[in-house]
């Protein structure tokens, strides 16, 4: 069985790591370079860096900051925010990213997924899906969760896989920052329908939530932010707990 991955997430705004609840009420969580270095040292399997206001502000990702983080880590590094072209991806890979995460631009122009997968390979392309329940159905949101669409989350997940995405980063906006647990139901539905890895995001509040999302939620990886940033759980502690629960992890 493939090992389950633990992925800290750096949501970056104005050069600082921030964290909110349901994508709102952001508070400072530290320096992204220092946090990235710490998580790599602690045994994180990968690191995700999301420039959360790049799309809203109609600008590119903070390339210099990406370079600074990349210098300090030795684990796979995914970068997202404001990516809309092949040129944007080249710039981020040159800055030290291993993979890129696209969201709003993929919804606006789904063919971008095909083009990026063809140019860089599917293993390089993560499609982030921000989902929120609406009348018992997941709806895709863009622009840092600010803009709802009519797109069904499960149908969109299948489409992005068919277009060449190598992974799906699924964030439940309803669960984000609540620490009430991951959205296991929709994560499980997408994990069972997709043949590419699904990273669950939104809602991690304690160690047991990771057991749930790997078991009940059938996720391939779990992403979390505030519980790591504010030292509520350490990565070594989490991985040891998962191992003792017979969940395969890399120690």
């Amino acid at each position: 069985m493939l090992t389950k991955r633990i992925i800290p997430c750096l949501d970056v705004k104005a050069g600082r790591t921030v964290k909110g609840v349901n994508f709102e009420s952001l508070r400072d969580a530290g320096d992204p370079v220092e946090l990235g270095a710490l998580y790599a040292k602690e045994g994180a399997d990968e690191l995700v860096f999301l420039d959360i206001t790049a799309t809203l502000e109609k600008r590119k990702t903070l390339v210099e900051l990406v370079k600074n983080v990349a210098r300090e880590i030795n684990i796979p590094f995914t970068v997202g925010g404001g990516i809309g072209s092949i040129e944007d991806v080249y710039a981020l890979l040159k800055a030290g990213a291993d993979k890129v995460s696209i969201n709003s631009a993929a919804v606006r122009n789904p063919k971008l997924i095909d083009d990026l997968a063809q140019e860089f390979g599917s293993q390089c392309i993560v499609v982030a899906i921000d989902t929120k329940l609406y009348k018992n159905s997941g709806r895709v949101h863009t622009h840092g969760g600010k803009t709802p669409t009519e797109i069904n989350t499960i149908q969109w997940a299948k489409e992005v896989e068919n277009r060449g995405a190598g992974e799906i980063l699924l964030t439940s906006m309803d669960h984000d920052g609540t620490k009430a647990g991951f959205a296991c139901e929709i994560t499980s539905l997408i994990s069972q329908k997709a043949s590419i890895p699904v990273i669950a995001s939104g809602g991690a509040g304690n160690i047991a939530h990771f057991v749930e999302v790997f078991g009940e939620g059938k996720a391939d990886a779990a992403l979390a932010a505030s519980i790591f940033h504010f030292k509520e759980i350490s990565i070594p502690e989490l991985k040891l707990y998962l191992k003792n629960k017979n969940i395969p992890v890399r120690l």
Side-chain angles (χ1 to χ4, degrees), residues 31-50:
D31 177 75
V33 178
E34 291 175 6
L35 288 171
L38 172 66
Y39 298 144
K41 186 178 175 184
E42 282 192 340
D45 296 295
E46 300 188 15
L47 183 69
V48 168
F49 174 115
L50 299 176

Side-chain angles (χ1 to χ4, degrees), residues 5 7-12 45-51 61 66 69-70 73 75-81 83 92-93 96-102 123-128 167-169 199 223:
R5 290 171 289 148
I7 307 176
C9 182
L10 306 175
D11 291 318
V12 175
D45 296 295
E46 300 188 15
L47 183 69
V48 168
F49 174 115
L50 299 176
D51 186 341
T61 307
V66 169
V69 174
I73 65 173
I75 54 177
F77 185 29
T78 300
V79 177
I83 297 167
L92 290 170
L93 296 181
D98 299 289
K99 297 185 269 189
V100 295
S101 172
I102 57 172
Q123 80 289 341
C124 185
I125 309 304
V126 179
V127 173
E167 273 184 305
I168 291 168
L169 170 53
I199 305 165
L223 179 145

Side-chain angles (χ1 to χ4, degrees), residues 21-145:
V21 177
N22 306 130
F23 286 39
E24 301 288 347
S25 306
L26 301 177
R27 61 175 171 147
D28 189 87
D31 177 75
V33 178
E34 291 175 6
L35 288 171
L38 172 66
Y39 298 144
K41 186 178 175 184
E42 282 192 340
D45 296 295
E46 300 188 15
L47 183 69
V48 168
F49 174 115
L50 299 176
D51 186 341
I52 61 170
T53 57
T55 299
L56 272 175
E57 294 168 5
K58 296 183 171 61
R59 60 170 174 78
K60 307 299 184 189
T61 307
L62 301 165
V63 171
E64 283 305 313
L65 188 52
V66 169
K67 283 182 186 173
N68 293 339
V69 174
R71 284 192 199 104
E72 299 296 324
I73 65 173
N74 58 354
I75 54 177
F77 185 29
T78 300
V79 177
I83 297 167
S85 68
I86 285 173
E87 291 72 27
D88 292 342
V89 177
Y90 270 118
L92 290 170
L93 296 181
K94 188 177 177 184
D98 299 289
K99 297 185 269 189
V100 295
S101 172
I102 57 172
N103 183 344
S104 302
V107 173
R108 187 170 61 248
N109 172 24
K111 188 176 178 294
L112 178 65
I113 305 168
D114 307 66
D115 294 344
L116 296 182
Q118 186 173 355
E119 183 76 15
F120 302 102
S122 290
Q123 80 289 341
C124 185
I125 309 304
V126 179
V127 173
I129 301 176
D130 294 336
T131 183
K132 191 171 186 176
L133 274 179
Y134 179 76
K135 293 184 178 176
N136 297 318
S137 171
R139 291 282 182 86
V140 174
H141 285 56
T142 62
H143 297 80

